Amino acid sequence: MLKTEFKNNILTAYIDGEIDHDSAAKIRTKVDGAAQMFKPRELYLDFSGVTFMDSSGVGLVMGRYRQMKLIGGALRVINIPDRLYRIFAMSGLESLGVLR
């Protein structure tokens, strides 16, 4: 479901499977714990393995965006499948400049 890697002051969270209310809470806990431990300059959320996402995925990204701002870091959402990109764009996340 989630694998993290810390390298060159970048924490990458590789998310796999579906993101719904229950899985988003588990992902949030793991990512936040790793971010608190490593204090990365950047947090990358890699969505290449995500097969489904509801609005909980948008909330997950917004919360990590706010958390990274609090510790002086930045968030990037990378490898977004085309079918999910529209959800991010419609949610307003595109205007934050976090989507890659």
Side-chain angles (χ1 to χ4, degrees):
M1 181 154 135
L2 179 75
K3 178 185 143 203
T4 59
E5 173 184 75
F6 184 67
K7 185 177 177 182
N8 298 325
N9 211 14
I10 297 171
L11 175 63
T12 304
Y14 299 93
I15 305 169
D16 194 34
E18 298 184 355
I19 301 177
D20 57 19
H21 178 73
D22 293 332
S23 63
K26 293 173 187 169
I27 294 166
R28 179 175 40 252
T29 299
K30 289 182 181 181
V31 171
D32 288 355
Q36 288 299 319
M37 181 172 34
F38 295 116
K39 305 256 190 278
R41 177 177 34 90
E42 289 187 284
L43 169 61
Y44 289 178
L45 297 178
D46 186 318
F47 271 65
S48 60
V50 176
T51 57
F52 168 82
M53 180 184 85
D54 62 17
S55 61
S56 300
V58 174
L60 175 73
V61 172
M62 285 301 299
R64 306 308 51 81
Y65 174 79
R66 285 190 295 270
Q67 181 194 27
M68 289 304 295
K69 287 293 182 190
L70 287 174
I71 63 172
L75 172 73
R76 301 285 176 257
V77 183
I78 60 173
N79 300 321
I80 305 166
D82 290 341
R83 67 188 176 284
L84 300 179
Y85 194 90
R86 287 191 312 261
I87 297 169
F88 283 121
M90 289 187 311
S91 72
L93 284 173
E94 196 171 41
S95 65
L96 297 177
V98 301
L99 306 180
R100 300 279 180 243

